[in-house]
């Protein structure tokens, strides 16, 4: 098992450069196979999930060339296999984007049921509902999501719940459907916009990404493009909160400050200084932290992916903080480790009460999921 040994107590001071957004990259790498021409993608984060996805794309026949650690060239014209399944792809969440991509282009896809962090039920019913509305037969058998269509036809889709994955997946398939699709109650996250921009740069016709109504007019073919992925707002937020937790002074570079507003606002509220530049944010924490309330919500609300990190930070805030998690039902796994380190946290369903303590102490703790691990690192 991978371990980190951390000697805490030092303020973090300095500058850090943020990489490309993982959650945008996973969708964009999948969408890249939707053209038979060559696509070059820059600012791809070099992390496990993107590498697993690239290997899976290669396994079904696409040509994948890694030009450097963060640049990939993909050609999807050699794909002959529509079945994506291996022991690694089963573990990642974003394998589901290959359903939308392959279904859009080839009208068929068989993809291993998505895995991902254990933070609740994480169904994919909305993705399936969207594909069915476009005219596909979709079922789950033998551990695969299987989708087939004679043809896809544009339609009106209302998402019962705001879902990033379903919005992007339906948007991809609809890009190559016949006619016009309207997605209502769409997710507005920056990476939804990034994927739409990427598809549009390949010749798709998508309007309204970033609002809750997305309109897509299907096209027959997509073409070559060169595209650079947006910075990762969660990676940036992680460093911002780590600066605050260690009473540090960190400038987070290569970010889009607008995407970080919910995080900046919380930091200001609890007594940190946040300075915004064109493509950087500086966080200085010199005063004691004040208490706050936070509710996770889809963008532009406070991101659920930052909630574990914020909890780590608030263990040191003066007074009683209340955290409500409205997006995923089981996303307080970091609390156990934080309590081992001396935090005072009480959980009741989707709400957590955090009573500030003077300091945390080193302990052996276990990261149960990705953001839980980041929260524990931050606390440590
Ligand atoms: C993506 C991100 C994840 C982030 C989350 C919310 C990736 C790979 N992961 O996850 O880091 O925490 O967005 O910003 O991009 N839901 C359904 N049915 C569905 C789909 C979703 O009920 O078919 C529910 C989920 O259980 C959850 C909510 O909708 O309660 C939002 O989920 P969604 O936005 O789809 O998250 P993911 O795409 O899984």
């Amino acid at each position: 098992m991978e371990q980190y040994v951390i000697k805490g107590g030092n303020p973090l001071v300095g500058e850090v450069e943020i990489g490309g957004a993982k959650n945008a990259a996973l969708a964009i790498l999948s969408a890249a196979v939707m053209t038979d021409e060559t696509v070059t993608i820059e600012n791809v984060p070099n992390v496990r999930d993107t590498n697993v996805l690239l290997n899976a794309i290669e396994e079904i026949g696409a040509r994948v060339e890694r030009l450097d650690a963060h640049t990939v060239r993909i050609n999807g014209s050699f794909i002959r296999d529509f079945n994506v399944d291996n022991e690694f792809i089963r573990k990642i969440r974003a394998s589901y984007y290959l359903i939308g991509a392959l279904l859009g282009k080839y009208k068929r896809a068989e993809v291993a049921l998505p895995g991902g962090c254990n933070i609740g039920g994480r169904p994919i019913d909305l993705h399936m509902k969207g594909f069915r509305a476009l005219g596909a037969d979709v079922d789950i058998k033998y551990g695969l999501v299987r989708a087939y269509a004679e043809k896809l036809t544009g339609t009106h889709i209302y998402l019962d719940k705001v879902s990033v994955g379903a919005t992007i997946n339906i948007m991809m398939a609809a890009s190559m459907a016949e006619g016009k699709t309207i997605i209502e109650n769409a997710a507005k996250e920056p990476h939804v916009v990034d994927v739409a921009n990427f598809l549009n740069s390949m010749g798709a016709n998508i309007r309204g990404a970033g609002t809750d109504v997305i309109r897509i007019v299907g096209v027959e073919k997509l073409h070559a493009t060169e595209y650079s992925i947006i910075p990762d707002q969660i990676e940036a937020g992680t460093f911002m909160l780590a600066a605050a937790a260690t009473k540090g002074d960190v400038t987070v570079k290569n970010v889009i400050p607008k995407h970080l507003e919910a995080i900046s606002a919380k930091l200001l509220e609890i007594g940190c200084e946040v300075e915004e530049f064109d493509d950087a944010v500086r966080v200085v924490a010199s005063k004691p932290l004040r208490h706050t309330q936070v509710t996770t919500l889809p963008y532009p609300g406070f991101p659920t992916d930052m909630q574990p990190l914020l909890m780590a930070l608030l263990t040191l805030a003066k007074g009683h903080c209340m955290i409500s998690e409205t997006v995923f039902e089981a996303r307080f796994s970091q609390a156990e480790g934080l309590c081992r380190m001396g935090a005072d946290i009480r959980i009741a369903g989707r709400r957590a009460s955090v009573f500030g303590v003077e300091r945390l102490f080193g302990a052996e703790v276990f990261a149960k999921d990705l953001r839980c691990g980041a929260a524990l690192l931050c606390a440590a």
Side-chain angles (χ1 to χ4, degrees):
M1 197 181 308
E2 212 169 316
Q3 291 186 330
Y4 294 100
V5 179
I6 300 142
K7 187 170 178 320
N10 294 334
L12 296 182
V13 176
E15 294 182 351
V16 61
E17 189 101 12
I18 299 305
K22 173 189 75 101
N23 288 346
L26 293 166
I28 287 174
L29 294 174
S30 304
V33 305
M34 295 179 72
T35 169
D36 281 343
E37 298 179 16
T38 301
V39 170
T40 306
I41 306 164
E42 293 168 6
N43 210 24
V44 179
N46 189 7
V47 296
R48 187 200 62 166
D49 284 22
T50 50
N51 289 317
V52 166
L53 187 68
L54 284 170
N55 289 342
I57 290 172
E58 241 174 341
E59 267 182 25
I60 57 169
R63 295 249 163 101
V64 175
E65 217 184 319
R66 291 169 168 86
L67 301 185
D68 61 45
H70 301 290
T71 310
V72 186
R73 196 178 276 160
I74 297 175
N75 185 304
S77 65
F78 304 95
I79 293 176
R80 300 287 174 265
D81 186 359
F82 310 102
N83 179 300
V84 189
D85 192 11
N86 66 44
E87 62 171 306
F88 304 107
I89 200 84
R90 271 176 238 147
K91 291 190 184 133
I92 72 168
R93 180 79 188 149
S95 54
Y96 54 39
Y97 287 134
L98 287 172
I99 312 171
L102 295 174
L103 182 67
K105 185 180 181 195
Y106 298 105
K107 314 295 176 246
R108 57 182 299 194
E110 293 184 353
V111 180
L113 258 174
C117 289
N118 188 8
I119 51 178
R122 307 192 84 178
I124 55 158
D125 55 313
L126 295 172
H127 304 234
M128 293 169 64
K129 178 177 155 178
F131 297 144
R132 286 189 183 119
L134 289 169
D137 286 328
V138 191
D139 62 18
I140 296 179
K141 275 200 182 131
Y142 314 112
L144 299 169
V145 184
R146 309 184 311 171
Y148 306 91
E150 281 292 313
K151 65 170 191 169
L152 297 175
T153 310
T155 184
H156 203 119
I157 297 167
Y158 179 85
L159 294 177
D160 309 301
K161 216 171 169 182
V162 178
S163 159
V164 175
T167 302
I168 293 177
N169 228 343
I170 297 166
M171 195 166 78
M172 289 200 285
S175 292
M176 296 191 82
E178 265 182 44
K180 187 172 183 177
T181 299
I182 298 175
I183 307 175
E184 302 236 32
N185 201 25
K188 297 182 280 205
E189 267 67 2
H191 41 294
V192 175
V193 180
D194 206 33
V195 180
N197 288 342
F198 171 70
L199 285 164
N200 283 341
S201 78
M202 291 204 296
N205 183 348
I206 303 171
R207 299 285 170 264
T211 75
D212 49 19
V213 183
I214 301 180
R215 294 181 167 79
I216 304 142
V217 180
V219 295
E220 241 175 69
K221 268 195 175 159
L222 297 170
H223 56 68
T225 185
E226 286 184 17
Y227 195 82
S228 182
I229 293 171
I230 52 164
D232 196 305
Q233 62 175 134
I234 305 303
E235 186 187 348
T238 302
F239 284 105
M240 291 167 75
L241 265 54
T246 58
K247 295 208 163 21
D249 177 349
V250 175
T251 300
V252 183
K253 295 167 78 176
N254 184 33
V255 297
I256 300 172
K258 171 105 191 101
H259 296 169
L260 301 168
E261 271 174 356
I263 301 164
S264 300
K266 270 298 148 204
L267 285 173
L268 285 169
E269 197 185 318
I270 62 174
C272 301
E273 290 162 53
V274 181
E275 209 179 336
E276 282 186 8
F277 304 93
D278 284 349
D279 63 352
V281 174
R282 179 179 174 203
V283 176
V284 183
S286 51
K287 300 184 200 115
L289 300 176
R290 293 193 292 263
H291 62 89
T292 186
Q293 314 259 333
V294 66
T295 301
T296 62
L297 285 169
Y299 189 84
F302 191 86
T304 170
D305 284 347
M306 287 305 301
Q307 178 271 111
L309 269 297
L310 186 68
M311 181 184 276
L313 176 62
L314 295 181
T315 60
L316 299 173
K318 216 170 166 49
H320 172 205
C321 297
M322 180 67 85
I323 301 178
S324 304
E325 171 58 64
T326 72
V327 181
F328 290 108
E329 67 258 35
R331 206 167 200 182
F332 289 138
S333 66
Q334 70 281 1
E336 190 185 327
L338 293 174
C339 287
R340 276 178 170 268
M341 296 172 76
D344 183 357
I345 302 165
R346 312 196 194 154
I347 311 266
R350 286 180 171 218
R351 299 184 123 210
S353 283
V354 183
F355 299 91
V357 294
E358 282 293 314
R359 58 173 296 192
L360 299 176
F361 299 90
E364 202 171 307
V365 293
F366 183 73
K368 294 188 175 165
D369 60 70
L370 180 60
R371 311 300 178 185
C372 167
L376 295 175
L377 272 172
C378 178

